[in-house]
Coordinates of all heavy atoms in Angstrom, one line a residue:
M6 N 0.9 -1.2 0.0 CA 0.0 0.0 0.0 C 0.9 1.2 0.0 O 1.9 1.3 0.7 CB -0.9 0.0 1.2 CG -1.8 1.2 1.3 SD -2.8 1.3 2.8 CE -3.6 -0.3 2.9
T7 N 0.5 2.2 -0.8 CA 1.3 3.4 -0.9 C 0.9 4.4 0.2 O -0.2 4.2 0.8 CB 1.1 4.1 -2.3 OG1 -0.2 4.6 -2.4 CG2 1.5 3.2 -3.4
A8 N 1.7 5.4 0.4 CA 1.3 6.5 1.4 C 0.0 7.1 1.0 O -0.8 7.5 1.8 CB 2.4 7.5 1.5
Q9 N -0.2 7.3 -0.3 CA -1.4 8.0 -0.8 C -2.6 7.1 -0.4 O -3.7 7.6 0.0 CB -1.4 8.2 -2.3 CG -0.4 9.2 -2.7 CD 1.0 8.6 -2.9 OE1 1.3 7.5 -2.6 NE2 1.9 9.4 -3.5
E10 N -2.5 5.8 -0.7 CA -3.6 4.9 -0.4 C -3.9 4.8 1.1 O -5.0 4.6 1.5 CB -3.4 3.5 -1.0 CG -3.4 3.6 -2.6 CD -2.7 2.4 -3.2 OE1 -2.0 1.6 -2.5 OE2 -3.0 2.2 -4.4
A11 N -2.9 4.9 1.9 CA -3.0 4.8 3.3 C -3.9 5.9 3.9 O -4.5 5.7 4.9 CB -1.6 4.8 4.0
G12 N -3.9 7.0 3.2 CA -4.8 8.1 3.6 C -6.2 7.9 3.3 O -7.1 8.7 3.7
G13 N -6.6 6.8 2.7 CA -8.0 6.4 2.5 C -8.6 7.0 1.3 O -9.8 6.9 1.0
Q14 N -7.8 7.6 0.4 CA -8.2 8.2 -0.8 C -7.7 7.4 -2.0 O -6.5 6.9 -2.0 CB -7.8 9.6 -1.0 CG -8.4 10.5 0.1 CD -8.0 11.9 -0.1 OE1 -7.2 12.3 -1.0 NE2 -8.5 12.8 0.7
A15 N -8.4 7.3 -3.1 CA -7.9 6.6 -4.3 C -6.8 7.5 -4.8 O -6.8 8.7 -4.7 CB -9.0 6.5 -5.3
S16 N -5.8 6.8 -5.5 CA -4.7 7.5 -5.9 C -5.0 8.6 -7.0 O -4.3 9.5 -7.1 CB -3.6 6.5 -6.5 OG -4.2 5.9 -7.6
A17 N -6.1 8.5 -7.6 CA -6.5 9.5 -8.6 C -7.3 10.7 -8.0 O -7.4 11.7 -8.6 CB -7.4 8.9 -9.7
G18 N -7.7 10.5 -6.7 CA -8.4 11.6 -6.1 C -7.6 12.8 -5.7 O -6.4 12.7 -5.6
A19 N -8.3 13.8 -5.3 CA -7.6 15.0 -4.8 C -6.9 14.8 -3.5 O -7.4 14.0 -2.7 CB -8.6 16.2 -4.7
M20 N -5.8 15.5 -3.3 CA -5.1 15.3 -2.0 C -5.6 16.3 -1.0 O -5.6 17.5 -1.3 CB -3.6 15.4 -2.3 CG -2.7 14.9 -1.2 SD -0.9 15.0 -1.7 CE -0.8 13.7 -2.9
G21 N -5.9 15.8 0.2 CA -6.4 16.7 1.2 C -5.2 17.4 2.0 O -4.0 16.9 1.9
L22 N -5.5 18.4 2.8 CA -4.5 19.1 3.6 C -3.7 18.2 4.5 O -2.5 18.3 4.6 CB -5.1 20.2 4.4 CG -4.2 21.1 5.1 CD1 -3.2 21.8 4.2 CD2 -5.0 22.2 5.9
E23 N -4.4 17.2 5.2 CA -3.7 16.3 6.1 C -2.7 15.5 5.3 O -1.6 15.3 5.8 CB -4.7 15.4 6.8 CG -4.1 14.5 7.8 CD -5.1 13.8 8.6 OE1 -6.2 14.3 8.9 OE2 -4.8 12.6 9.0
E24 N -3.1 15.0 4.2 CA -2.2 14.1 3.4 C -1.0 14.9 2.8 O 0.1 14.5 2.8 CB -3.0 13.5 2.2 CG -2.2 12.5 1.5 CD -3.0 11.7 0.4 OE1 -4.2 12.0 0.2 OE2 -2.4 10.9 -0.3
L25 N -1.3 16.2 2.4 CA -0.2 17.0 1.9 C 0.8 17.3 3.0 O 2.0 17.3 2.7 CB -0.8 18.4 1.5 CG -1.3 18.5 0.0 CD1 -2.1 19.8 -0.1 CD2 -0.2 18.4 -1.0
S26 N 0.3 17.6 4.2 CA 1.3 17.9 5.3 C 2.0 16.7 5.8 O 3.0 16.9 6.4 CB 0.5 18.6 6.4 OG -0.4 17.7 7.0
A27 N 1.6 15.5 5.4 CA 2.3 14.3 5.8 C 3.3 13.7 4.8 O 3.9 12.7 5.0 CB 1.3 13.2 6.2
L28 N 3.4 14.5 3.7 CA 4.3 14.0 2.6 C 5.8 14.0 3.1 O 6.2 14.8 3.9 CB 4.2 14.8 1.4 CG 2.9 14.7 0.6 CD1 2.8 15.8 -0.5 CD2 2.7 13.3 0.1
P29 N 6.6 13.1 2.6 CA 8.0 13.1 2.9 C 8.8 14.2 2.3 O 8.1 15.0 1.5 CB 8.5 11.7 2.4 CG 7.6 11.4 1.3 CD 6.2 12.0 1.7
A30 N 10.0 14.4 2.5 CA 10.8 15.5 2.0 C 10.8 15.7 0.5 O 10.8 16.8 0.0 CB 12.3 15.4 2.5
T31 N 10.8 14.6 -0.2 CA 10.6 14.7 -1.7 C 9.5 13.6 -2.1 O 9.3 12.6 -1.4 CB 11.9 14.4 -2.5 OG1 12.3 13.1 -2.2 CG2 13.0 15.4 -2.1
V32 N 8.9 13.9 -3.2 CA 7.9 13.0 -3.7 C 8.1 12.7 -5.2 O 8.8 13.5 -5.8 CB 6.4 13.5 -3.5 CG1 6.1 13.6 -2.0 CG2 6.2 14.8 -4.2
N33 N 7.5 11.7 -5.7 CA 7.7 11.4 -7.2 C 6.8 12.4 -8.0 O 5.9 13.1 -7.4 CB 7.4 10.0 -7.5 CG 6.0 9.5 -7.1 OD1 5.0 10.3 -7.3 ND2 5.9 8.3 -6.7
V34 N 6.9 12.4 -9.2 CA 6.2 13.3 -10.1 C 4.7 13.0 -10.1 O 3.9 13.9 -10.1 CB 6.7 13.3 -11.5 CG1 5.9 14.1 -12.5 CG2 8.2 13.8 -11.6
T35 N 4.3 11.7 -10.0 CA 2.9 11.4 -10.0 C 2.2 11.9 -8.7 O 1.1 12.5 -8.8 CB 2.8 9.8 -10.0 OG1 3.4 9.3 -11.2 CG2 1.3 9.4 -10.0
T36 N 2.9 11.8 -7.6 CA 2.3 12.4 -6.3 C 2.2 13.9 -6.4 O 1.2 14.5 -6.0 CB 3.2 11.9 -5.1 OG1 3.2 10.4 -5.1 CG2 2.6 12.4 -3.8
A37 N 3.3 14.5 -6.9 CA 3.3 16.0 -7.0 C 2.2 16.4 -7.9 O 1.5 17.4 -7.6 CB 4.6 16.5 -7.4
G38 N 2.0 15.7 -9.0 CA 1.0 16.1 -10.0 C -0.4 15.9 -9.3 O -1.3 16.8 -9.5
R39 N -0.6 14.9 -8.6 CA -1.9 14.6 -7.9 C -2.1 15.8 -6.9 O -3.3 16.3 -6.8 CB -1.8 13.3 -7.1 CG -3.1 12.9 -6.6 CD -3.1 11.5 -6.1 NE -4.1 11.5 -5.0 CZ -3.9 11.2 -3.8 NH1 -2.6 10.9 -3.4 NH2 -4.8 11.3 -2.9
A40 N -1.1 16.2 -6.2 CA -1.3 17.3 -5.2 C -1.7 18.6 -6.0 O -2.5 19.4 -5.5 CB 0.0 17.6 -4.5
L41 N -1.2 18.8 -7.2 CA -1.5 19.9 -8.0 C -2.8 19.8 -8.8 O -3.2 20.7 -9.5 CB -0.3 20.2 -9.0 CG 1.0 20.7 -8.3 CD1 2.1 20.5 -9.3 CD2 0.8 22.1 -7.8
G42 N -3.4 18.6 -8.8 CA -4.6 18.3 -9.5 C -4.4 18.0 -11.0 O -5.3 18.3 -11.8
I43 N -3.2 17.5 -11.3 CA -3.0 17.1 -12.7 C -2.7 15.7 -12.8 O -2.1 15.1 -11.8 CB -1.9 18.0 -13.4 CG1 -0.6 17.9 -12.6 CG2 -2.3 19.4 -13.5 CD1 0.6 18.6 -13.3
G44 N -3.0 15.0 -13.9 CA -2.7 13.6 -14.0 C -1.3 13.3 -14.3 O -0.4 14.2 -14.6
R45 N -0.9 12.0 -14.2 CA 0.4 11.5 -14.3 C 1.0 11.9 -15.6 O 2.1 12.4 -15.7 CB 0.4 10.0 -14.1 CG 1.7 9.3 -14.3 CD 1.6 7.8 -14.3 NE 2.8 7.2 -14.6 CZ 3.4 7.0 -15.8 NH1 2.7 7.4 -16.8 NH2 4.5 6.4 -15.9
D46 N 0.3 11.6 -16.7 CA 0.8 11.8 -18.1 C 1.1 13.3 -18.3 O 2.2 13.7 -18.8 CB -0.1 11.3 -19.1 CG -0.2 9.8 -19.2 OD1 0.7 9.1 -18.6 OD2 -1.2 9.3 -19.8
K47 N 0.2 14.2 -17.9 CA 0.4 15.6 -18.0 C 1.6 16.1 -17.2 O 2.4 16.9 -17.6 CB -0.9 16.4 -17.6 CG -0.8 17.9 -17.8 CD -0.6 18.2 -19.3 CE -0.7 19.7 -19.6 NZ -0.5 20.0 -21.0
A48 N 1.7 15.6 -15.9 CA 2.8 15.9 -15.1 C 4.1 15.6 -15.7 O 5.0 16.5 -15.7 CB 2.7 15.2 -13.7
Y49 N 4.3 14.4 -16.2 CA 5.5 14.0 -16.9 C 5.8 14.8 -18.2 O 6.9 15.2 -18.5 CB 5.6 12.5 -17.1 CG 6.0 11.8 -15.9 CD1 5.1 11.1 -15.1 CD2 7.4 11.7 -15.5 CE1 5.5 10.5 -14.0 CE2 7.8 11.1 -14.4 CZ 6.9 10.4 -13.6 OH 7.3 9.8 -12.5
E50 N 4.7 15.2 -18.9 CA 4.8 16.0 -20.1 C 5.4 17.4 -19.7 O 6.3 17.9 -20.3 CB 3.5 16.2 -20.7 CG 3.4 17.1 -21.9 CD 2.0 17.3 -22.5 OE1 1.2 16.3 -22.5 OE2 1.7 18.4 -22.8
L51 N 4.9 18.0 -18.6 CA 5.4 19.3 -18.1 C 6.8 19.2 -17.7 O 7.6 20.1 -17.9 CB 4.5 19.8 -17.0 CG 3.1 20.2 -17.4 CD1 2.2 20.5 -16.2 CD2 3.1 21.4 -18.4
V52 N 7.2 18.1 -17.0 CA 8.6 17.9 -16.5 C 9.5 17.9 -17.8 O 10.5 18.6 -17.8 CB 8.7 16.6 -15.7 CG1 10.2 16.3 -15.5 CG2 8.0 16.8 -14.3
R53 N 9.1 17.1 -18.8 CA 10.0 16.9 -20.0 C 10.1 18.3 -20.7 O 11.2 18.6 -21.2 CB 9.4 15.9 -20.9 CG 9.7 14.5 -20.5 CD 9.3 13.5 -21.6 NE 7.9 13.5 -22.0 CZ 6.9 12.9 -21.3 NH1 7.2 12.1 -20.3 NH2 5.6 13.0 -21.7
A54 N 9.1 19.1 -20.7 CA 9.1 20.4 -21.3 C 9.7 21.5 -20.5 O 9.9 22.6 -20.9 CB 7.7 20.8 -21.7
G55 N 10.1 21.1 -19.2 CA 10.7 22.1 -18.3 C 9.7 23.1 -17.8 O 10.0 24.2 -17.5
K56 N 8.4 22.7 -17.8 CA 7.3 23.7 -17.4 C 6.6 23.2 -16.2 O 5.5 23.7 -15.9 CB 6.4 23.9 -18.6 CG 7.0 24.5 -19.8 CD 6.1 24.8 -20.9 CE 6.8 25.5 -22.0 NZ 5.9 25.8 -23.1
F57 N 7.1 22.2 -15.5 CA 6.4 21.8 -14.2 C 6.4 22.9 -13.3 O 7.4 23.6 -13.1 CB 7.1 20.5 -13.7 CG 6.3 19.8 -12.7 CD1 5.2 19.0 -13.1 CD2 6.5 19.8 -11.3 CE1 4.4 18.3 -12.2 CE2 5.8 19.1 -10.4 CZ 4.7 18.4 -10.8
P58 N 5.3 23.2 -12.6 CA 5.2 24.4 -11.7 C 6.1 24.4 -10.5 O 6.1 25.4 -9.8 CB 3.7 24.5 -11.4 CG 3.2 23.2 -11.6 CD 4.0 22.5 -12.6
V59 N 6.8 23.3 -10.2 CA 7.6 23.2 -9.1 C 9.0 22.7 -9.5 O 9.1 21.9 -10.5 CB 7.0 22.2 -8.0 CG1 7.9 22.1 -6.8 CG2 5.6 22.6 -7.6
R60 N 10.1 23.2 -8.9 CA 11.4 22.7 -9.3 C 11.5 21.2 -9.1 O 10.9 20.6 -8.2 CB 12.4 23.3 -8.3 CG 13.9 22.9 -8.6 CD 14.8 23.7 -7.8 NE 14.6 23.5 -6.4 CZ 15.5 22.7 -5.6 NH1 16.5 22.1 -6.1 NH2 15.2 22.6 -4.3
T61 N 12.1 20.5 -10.1 CA 12.3 19.1 -10.0 C 13.7 18.7 -9.8 O 14.6 19.5 -10.2 CB 11.7 18.4 -11.3 OG1 12.4 18.9 -12.4 CG2 10.2 18.6 -11.4
L62 N 14.0 17.5 -9.3 CA 15.3 17.1 -9.0 C 15.6 15.8 -9.8 O 15.1 14.7 -9.4 CB 15.5 16.8 -7.5 CG 15.2 17.9 -6.6 CD1 15.3 17.4 -5.1 CD2 16.2 19.1 -6.8
P63 N 16.3 15.9 -11.0 CA 16.6 14.6 -11.7 C 17.7 13.8 -10.9 O 18.7 14.4 -10.6 CB 17.1 15.1 -13.0 CG 17.5 16.5 -12.8 CD 16.8 17.1 -11.6
L64 N 17.3 12.6 -10.6 CA 18.3 11.8 -9.8 C 18.4 10.5 -10.6 O 17.6 9.5 -10.4 CB 17.8 11.6 -8.4 CG 17.6 12.8 -7.6 CD1 16.8 12.5 -6.3 CD2 18.9 13.5 -7.3
G65 N 19.4 10.4 -11.4 CA 19.6 9.2 -12.2 C 18.4 9.0 -13.2 O 18.1 9.9 -13.9
G66 N 17.7 7.9 -13.0 CA 16.6 7.6 -13.9 C 15.3 8.0 -13.3 O 14.2 7.7 -13.9
T67 N 15.3 8.7 -12.2 CA 14.1 9.1 -11.6 C 14.0 10.7 -11.4 O 15.1 11.3 -11.5 CB 13.9 8.4 -10.2 OG1 12.6 8.7 -9.7 CG2 14.9 8.9 -9.2
V68 N 12.9 11.2 -11.1 CA 12.7 12.6 -10.9 C 12.0 12.8 -9.6 O 10.9 12.1 -9.4 CB 11.9 13.3 -12.0 CG1 11.7 14.8 -11.7 CG2 12.7 13.2 -13.3
R69 N 12.5 13.6 -8.7 CA 11.8 13.9 -7.4 C 11.4 15.4 -7.3 O 12.0 16.2 -8.0 CB 12.7 13.6 -6.2 CG 13.3 12.1 -6.2 CD 12.2 11.1 -6.0 NE 11.6 11.2 -4.7 CZ 10.6 10.4 -4.2 NH1 10.1 9.5 -5.0 NH2 10.2 10.5 -3.0
V70 N 10.4 15.6 -6.5 CA 9.9 17.0 -6.3 C 10.1 17.3 -4.8 O 9.5 16.6 -4.0 CB 8.5 17.1 -6.8 CG1 7.9 18.5 -6.5 CG2 8.3 16.7 -8.3
P71 N 10.7 18.4 -4.5 CA 10.9 18.8 -3.1 C 9.5 19.2 -2.5 O 8.8 20.1 -3.1 CB 11.8 20.1 -3.1 CG 12.5 20.0 -4.4 CD 11.5 19.3 -5.4
T72 N 9.1 18.6 -1.5 CA 7.8 18.8 -0.9 C 7.6 20.2 -0.4 O 6.6 20.8 -0.5 CB 7.5 17.8 0.3 OG1 7.6 16.5 -0.3 CG2 6.2 18.0 0.9
A73 N 8.7 20.8 0.2 CA 8.6 22.2 0.7 C 8.2 23.2 -0.4 O 7.4 24.1 -0.2 CB 9.9 22.6 1.4
E74 N 8.8 22.9 -1.6 CA 8.4 23.8 -2.7 C 7.0 23.5 -3.2 O 6.3 24.5 -3.7 CB 9.5 23.6 -3.8 CG 10.8 24.2 -3.3 CD 11.9 24.2 -4.4 OE1 11.5 24.3 -5.6 OE2 13.1 24.1 -4.1
L75 N 6.6 22.3 -3.2 CA 5.2 22.0 -3.5 C 4.3 22.6 -2.6 O 3.3 23.2 -3.0 CB 5.1 20.4 -3.5 CG 3.7 19.9 -3.9 CD1 3.4 20.2 -5.4 CD2 3.8 18.3 -3.7
W76 N 4.5 22.6 -1.3 CA 3.7 23.3 -0.3 C 3.6 24.8 -0.6 O 2.6 25.4 -0.5 CB 4.2 23.1 1.1 CG 4.1 21.7 1.7 CD1 3.2 20.8 1.3 CD2 4.8 21.2 2.8 NE1 3.3 19.7 2.1 CE2 4.3 19.9 3.0 CE3 5.8 21.7 3.6 CZ2 4.8 19.1 4.0 CZ3 6.3 20.9 4.6 CH2 5.8 19.6 4.8
K77 N 4.8 25.4 -0.9 CA 4.8 26.8 -1.2 C 3.9 27.2 -2.4 O 3.2 28.1 -2.3 CB 6.3 27.2 -1.5 CG 6.5 28.7 -1.4 CD 8.0 29.1 -1.7 CE 8.9 28.4 -0.7 NZ 10.3 28.8 -0.9
V78 N 4.0 26.4 -3.5 CA 3.2 26.7 -4.6 C 1.7 26.5 -4.3 O 0.9 27.3 -4.8 CB 3.6 25.7 -5.8 CG1 2.5 25.7 -6.9 CG2 4.9 26.1 -6.4
L79 N 1.4 25.6 -3.4 CA 0.0 25.4 -3.1 C -0.5 26.3 -1.9 O -1.7 26.2 -1.6 CB -0.2 23.9 -2.7 CG 0.0 22.9 -3.8 CD1 0.0 21.5 -3.3 CD2 -1.1 23.1 -4.8
G80 N 0.4 27.0 -1.3 CA 0.0 27.9 -0.2 C -0.2 27.1 1.1 O -1.0 27.6 1.9
V81 N 0.4 26.0 1.3 CA 0.3 25.2 2.5 C 1.4 25.4 3.4 O 2.6 25.4 3.1 CB 0.2 23.7 2.1 CG1 0.2 22.8 3.3 CG2 -0.9 23.4 1.2
E82 N 1.0 25.7 4.7 CA 2.0 25.9 5.7 C 2.5 24.5 6.2 O 1.7 23.7 6.5 CB 1.4 26.7 6.9 CG 1.0 28.1 6.5 CD 2.3 29.0 6.3 OE1 3.3 28.8 7.0 OE2 2.2 29.8 5.4
P83 N 3.8 24.3 6.4 CA 4.3 23.1 6.9 C 3.8 22.9 8.4 O 3.6 23.9 9.1 CB 5.8 23.2 6.9 CG 6.1 24.6 6.6 CD 4.9 25.3 6.1
R84 N 3.7 21.6 8.8 CA 3.3 21.3 10.2 C 4.4 21.8 11.1 O 5.6 21.9 10.8 CB 3.2 19.8 10.4 CG 2.1 19.2 9.6 CD 2.1 17.7 9.8 NE 3.4 17.2 9.4 CZ 3.7 15.9 9.5 NH1 2.8 15.0 10.0 NH2 4.9 15.4 9.1
R85 N 4.0 22.2 12.3 CA 5.0 22.6 13.3 C 5.9 21.4 13.6 O 5.5 20.3 13.6 CB 4.3 23.0 14.6 CG 3.6 24.3 14.5 CD 2.9 24.7 15.8 NE 2.1 25.9 15.5 CZ 2.0 26.8 16.3 NH1 2.6 26.8 17.5 NH2 1.3 27.9 16.0
G86 N 7.2 21.7 13.8 CA 8.1 20.6 14.1 C 8.7 20.1 12.8 O 9.6 19.3 12.8
V87 N 8.3 20.6 11.6 CA 8.8 20.1 10.3 C 9.6 21.3 9.8 O 9.1 22.4 9.7 CB 7.7 19.7 9.4 CG1 8.2 19.4 8.0 CG2 6.9 18.6 9.9
G88 N 10.8 21.0 9.3 CA 11.6 22.1 8.7 C 12.8 22.5 9.5 O 13.1 21.9 10.6
A89 N 13.4 23.6 9.1 CA 14.7 24.0 9.7 C 14.5 24.5 11.1 O 13.6 25.3 11.4 CB 15.3 25.1 8.9
G90 N 15.3 24.1 12.0 CA 15.4 24.6 13.4 C 14.3 24.3 14.3 O 14.2 24.9 15.4
T91 N 13.4 23.4 14.0 CA 12.3 23.1 14.9 C 12.3 21.7 15.2 O 12.6 20.8 14.5 CB 10.9 23.5 14.2 OG1 11.0 24.5 13.3 CG2 9.9 23.8 15.2

């Protein structure tokens, strides 16, 4: 079971605030796309075109998206105790 499914929502469904705030430090493009309300294929298309709305991190054969930057684009405040110095 994935982290997304553990939240009780289908992987294609919208991501709620609780699920967003529980994401790890980086997520895959599919998860980031879901948080942004776009599908997997469109998310990867945007990454390939260099137009994904959040900075991506190419790591070998995979691409990761920093969750903090995803939160910033979505206007989500990180949970207390998460982040620098807390």
Side-chain angles (χ1 to χ4, degrees):
M6 179 183 310
T7 66
Q9 292 87 346
E10 293 166 342
Q14 296 178 358
S16 61
M20 195 176 287
L22 184 57
E23 185 175 326
E24 189 175 0
L25 273 170
S26 64
L28 291 174
T31 65
V32 294
N33 61 35
V34 173
T35 302
T36 300
R39 187 169 152 245
L41 293 165
I43 58 177
R45 177 188 177 278
D46 292 344
K47 184 64 174 180
Y49 277 100
E50 178 185 320
L51 291 170
V52 168
R53 283 191 299 275
K56 295 183 178 183
F57 197 72
V59 180
R60 180 173 63 104
T61 58
L62 304 171
L64 302 169
T67 190
V68 177
R69 303 297 290 179
V70 177
T72 299
E74 293 186 27
L75 184 60
W76 288 339
K77 194 179 302 182
V78 166
L79 293 170
V81 173
E82 293 291 324
R84 295 179 300 180
R85 290 181 187 217
V87 176
T91 331

